[in-house]
Structure formats: structure tokens, C-alpha cells
Amino acid sequence: MTEIIVVTSGKGGVGKTTTSASLAVGLARLGKKVAVIDFDVGLRNLDLIMGCERRVVYDFVNVIQGECTLRQALIKDKRLDSLYILAASQTRDKDALSKEGVERILGELAEDGFDYIICDSPAGIEKGAALAMYFADRAIVVVNPEVSSVRDSDRILGLLASKTRRAERGEGAVEQHLLLTRYSPERVAGGDMMGVADVKDILGIEVLGVIPESTGVLTASNAGVPVILDADSPAGQAYADAVDRLTGKDRPMRFIDAQKKGLLARIFGS
């Protein structure tokens, strides 16, 4: 049975697309058939992070408006045979999306035997974001551990509980997971950043993963390689752990404690 997962947030720039790409790759590495869809019409970043921007011929809006088939628009990942990308349009606006069109595409993917559909949502509560979450079975709420990001994500949790197909049908709320990005245990210890427990207490949902602040994320994105493929990167390792938890495996939470300084560092303050 196909599971639809929306990756969402209330605030932009928190790492949703990086998260969508890494989760899609991680699930495909487990042998799952995965499609990842960019709902951010007008901007289109997913294909850049996936490294397939030069291969985009048709996009999400082309399929919705009947200008091509879904099969024509899906881009097969070069690294993983079971992973496919559906890019957003850069030349249309978000009004080009329709609930009926999105439902049709998701239905075709389910009929094609996809195990997971990852919906990479734009930030906030506009039409693209609303459609990305409407059909979801599960939601991953991406949050930076700072006040404005947490506050805006609280609004998203309210929408997930009330403005989805599951809510309309009385099937209960979409299952929600919290993913913290750009986390710095040292800044938490210094009182400059909210801790994991603080964010969890405010939002009231379980933590799927904590992605440490890392220059490796930007380096990987610029190279068109999802950071989860960098086994040496703490961020890549943390995303791999999150994928394992998403599929029911028990993994300890890493990268949440500040490193203890050695004696010389404590003496000289470096």
C-alpha cells in the first residue's frame, strides 16, 4: 500500500527540500519504490538538490494540465533505480495546481506500485502547501530550534489536524513527526538555541530526527547530491537514522549532546 508523506514547515529556509531529497534517497536505498514531488511551483529547487535539473523536460503542472503523461514527466534517479523525481514548474504560479489534478497524479503513482510518495511542500499555508498536505498519511514537520520557526510550525500542526482529507473523513489526524535541523548542541548548552526537549514540549509531537548544523549540507546541495549519500557527514548519518526510525527501526538519537572539551581546551578557552 502506498504511503504519502508530506515534508512541511511554517517557515521558509529550514531545510524541507534537503529533507525530502534525503528521505527519498534513504527509502529507495532500502529497496522501496519512491516518488518525490516538488510542490513549490514557481521556485523549483528539488531537481537541483537531486542533481537532475538538466533532465527536466516536463513538470508537475504539465501533467496536471494534460500537456504530457506522468510517465513522461517522472525523472528516474541515476543512482537508484527505484527513485523518481517530479519537478515543479518555474514558469507557472501556484494557482496552476488543483486538488483534482494532484489526486489524479497520486492515484496513478499508487497504481504504479510506488511504496512511498514524498511531497516536498512550500513553506507556510498558501495553496501549494495546502495541497501538499491534504492527501498525506504522514507529515514530517521540519523545524529550526528557534522561536519563530517553532511558532510557525505550531500553525502547521493545526492545519494537519483539520484541513486534510483524513480530517474531513473523520479518519483521525495525519501522523506527525518532528525533524529538527541545523541543531547545535554547543549553542543549546550556551543558551543561544532551543533544545530538543524544549521544541518537543511546545509542539507536542515525537522527534523523528535531529540534523546537526553542518557545512556538508550546503556542499552536498551545491553538488546536486543529497547529503544522506555522504556517509562521512554527521548530517548524512543523522538523516539515515531518521529514515530507519521512519520505517520502524530503533535508533539512538545522536548529535544532540555538546562535545566535552579536553583539559587544554578548557585551560586556553579554545
Side-chain angles (χ1 to χ4, degrees):
M1 184 175 176
T2 304
E3 184 169 43
I4 300 171
I5 300 174
V6 62
V7 178
T8 183
S9 75
K11 187 174 182 290
V14 298
K16 285 184 306 300
T17 301
T18 294
T19 296
S20 296
S22 285
L23 294 181
V25 167
L27 290 167
R29 286 199 304 188
L30 296 176
K32 306 298 183 182
K33 190 175 182 182
V34 183
V36 56
I37 304 175
D38 191 347
F39 274 77
D40 205 354
V41 174
L43 292 179
R44 205 180 93 184
N45 289 317
L46 178 66
D47 54 302
L48 291 171
I49 289 180
M50 296 296 297
C52 63
E53 70 277 9
R54 293 186 181 88
R55 298 166 59 203
V56 177
V57 177
Y58 294 111
D59 57 49
F60 193 13
V61 173
N62 292 140
V63 183
I64 284 179
Q65 297 192 343
E67 296 163 358
C68 68
T69 66
L70 177 58
R71 192 176 296 275
Q72 286 176 292
L74 283 174
I75 301 169
K76 188 175 183 179
D77 186 77
K78 290 181 178 179
R79 295 156 294 222
L80 295 156
D81 288 341
S82 61
L83 176 58
Y84 295 81
I85 301 99
L86 182 56
S89 171
Q90 281 186 307
T91 59
R92 314 289 181 95
D93 61 34
K94 292 171 177 62
D95 289 334
L97 298 179
S98 68
K99 186 181 291 185
E100 296 75 22
V102 172
E103 184 174 24
R104 175 172 56 81
I105 288 173
L106 296 177
E108 285 186 38
L109 290 170
E111 287 176 7
D112 251 0
F114 280 84
D115 299 299
Y116 291 97
I117 302 170
I118 309 292
C119 301
D120 180 25
S121 171
I125 56 174
E126 46 77 25
K127 185 175 183 180
L131 287 173
M133 73 172 64
Y134 181 77
F135 297 98
D137 301 304
R138 228 191 296 202
I140 296 171
V141 182
V142 182
V143 180
N144 287 163
E146 47 96 12
V147 173
S148 63
S149 178
V150 174
R151 180 196 61 201
D152 291 347
S153 292
D154 207 16
R155 175 73 189 278
I156 295 297
L157 295 180
L159 296 175
L160 287 167
S162 60
K163 294 287 189 179
T164 63
R165 182 169 63 176
R166 291 180 64 86
E168 289 178 1
R169 292 177 174 179
E171 297 172 351
V174 172
E175 186 179 345
Q176 299 160 5
H177 304 277
L178 178 63
L179 188 88
L180 271 68
T181 54
R182 296 178 184 159
Y183 192 81
S184 171
E186 290 74 24
R187 291 178 63 193
V188 173
D192 298 325
M193 179 177 279
M194 299 173 71
V196 175
D198 299 322
V199 179
K200 181 180 175 182
D201 287 346
I202 292 169
L203 296 180
I205 55 176
E206 290 301 313
V207 178
L208 177 72
V210 177
I211 313 301
E213 201 165 36
S214 171
T215 56
V217 174
L218 181 59
T219 301
S221 296
N222 287 339
V225 179
V227 70
I228 194 172
L229 291 172
D230 182 358
D232 296 325
S233 163
Q237 295 167 27
Y239 271 120
D241 288 348
V243 170
D244 284 344
R245 293 187 198 100
L246 193 65
T247 55
K249 298 182 180 72
D250 187 21
R251 292 288 181 268
M253 201 69 70
R254 298 189 280 171
F255 313 112
I256 61 174
D257 297 318
Q259 300 234 345
K260 293 182 180 179
K261 291 183 179 180
L263 177 60
L264 290 177
R266 291 200 301 271
I267 292 172
F268 292 105
S270 62

